Amino acid sequence: MTQATWTVGAVAKTLGASLLLWTACVAPVLAQDDRKPKFGPDAVPITRSVDFVRTAPAPDYWALSPFYVPQTTGASCSVTSVVMMLNALRGLPGLASERLVTDKQLLDRLDDDHWRDATADDGEGISFGELIAYVHRSLNAYGIDAEVEVWRPRDTSPATLAELRRILSDNERSADDIILLAFDQGTLTGDVGMGHIAPLGAYDAANRRALVMDPDRAWYVPYWTSDARLLEAMLKPDRADPEGSGLIRVRGRRVSG
């Protein structure tokens, strides 16, 4: 279990040439079983469980939900998740001339051929390490003063689960910090396993469950999953990250209304 913190002004470490792609969002095309439930036993769609966001402050959920948009390709969950994070941290612009951040606008502003190609219709996705670098660059590009914390679990021990619960509970206290989750989607939804990225919408500490604002809107809506299962999904081996992935917590301040 390791943890690292940087300020936005810090230069992202150059990724090694040996780093393989994390295949975020990309899954093989398989025949669908028409009788299979939309969600497996470890995910509960928000449509069936709305009490928490109705009765609790749920600051992250209300910061993110106005800007909740679908990924534009099968491989663009990273871009879309960063876009939602940027809009939530910036807040609604005060002037009619100010635009919201979109996938295209973000890619154009960074002008990064690798991220553009990796998240195109035929893209292979990006690694977790690359996601960290793109979060830093995106914050810089929009002038958002923020601190970035990366947490990568190493096991499913009680101590690791307790640390995850501490991070999620602390994050739930305000809308000034947004968490991006990197995990195996199939572990949560019961569908095909693949690396995936999504913002954390809320954390219900009493019931020990997290709300995943999944950008894969062609198939899903936001869903609740247990924090223990989320930890397992983060630890799922991947060809780029054999020890699993984790989460990125961005603490910033709103620069507009």
Side-chain angles (χ1 to χ4, degrees):
M1 178 170 61
T2 60
Q3 184 169 306
T5 303
W6 302 269
T7 59
V8 173
V11 178
K13 185 175 181 181
T14 303
L15 297 171
S18 62
L19 185 63
L20 298 175
L21 292 178
W22 187 60
T23 61
C25 317
V26 180
V29 178
L30 301 176
Q32 293 292 323
D33 183 351
D34 291 340
R35 297 165 297 177
K36 186 177 181 180
K38 171 63 70 178
F39 288 94
D42 297 303
V44 177
I46 193 172
T47 52
R48 298 180 196 163
S49 184
V50 300
D51 288 349
F52 184 82
V53 296
R54 284 179 172 174
T55 59
D60 288 329
Y61 175 78
W62 294 112
L64 284 162
S65 58
F67 309 108
Y68 182 38
V69 291
Q71 58 192 69
T72 56
T73 75
S76 65
C77 59
S78 62
V79 177
T80 304
S81 294
V82 172
V83 162
M84 286 190 274
M85 176 201 75
L86 291 171
N87 282 320
L89 291 173
R90 292 171 79 224
L92 186 65
L95 301 177
S97 58
E98 295 181 275
R99 295 185 178 186
L100 301 180
V101 184
T102 64
D103 286 27
K104 182 179 185 305
Q105 185 192 74
L106 176 58
L107 290 173
D108 288 346
R109 182 167 291 200
L110 265 61
D111 195 22
D112 186 289
D113 288 338
H114 173 63
W115 202 12
R116 186 179 288 112
D117 292 343
T119 57
D121 286 323
D122 58 350
E124 294 186 303
I126 63 171
S127 72
F128 184 56
E130 288 172 318
L131 176 64
I132 297 167
Y134 285 130
V135 165
H136 281 282
R137 290 181 58 191
S138 299
L139 291 165
N140 279 323
Y142 285 89
I144 298 176
D145 183 19
E147 185 180 79
V148 178
E149 174 187 337
V150 178
W151 186 75
R152 297 190 74 161
R154 295 306 181 197
D155 53 45
T156 56
S157 68
T160 301
L161 181 56
E163 178 65 4
L164 174 61
R165 287 170 174 165
R166 183 197 66 77
I167 293 170
L168 299 183
S169 295
D170 191 48
N171 181 76
E172 183 65 23
R173 293 173 183 165
S174 79
D176 294 331
D177 51 351
I178 299 295
I179 283 180
L180 298 185
L181 306 167
F183 59 97
D184 178 76
Q185 188 184 47
T187 299
L188 302 185
T189 64
D191 212 331
V192 178
M194 62 177 178
H196 197 48
I197 300 162
L200 171 73
Y203 180 60
D204 178 358
N207 293 295
R208 296 182 171 178
R209 59 179 187 165
L211 180 65
V212 180
M213 301 289 281
D214 200 315
D216 190 5
R217 301 300 306 282
W219 298 100
Y220 301 116
V221 297
Y223 49 85
W224 294 98
T225 192
S226 73
D227 49 21
R229 194 62 169 163
L230 177 61
L231 177 59
E232 292 178 21
M234 290 178 178
L235 287 164
K236 190 82 170 186
D238 183 85
R239 61 179 182 171
D241 291 288
E243 296 182 359
S245 47
L247 62 81
I248 303 172
R249 183 181 180 187
V250 181
R251 295 185 179 93
R253 66 169 182 260
R254 297 177 184 276
V255 296
S256 54

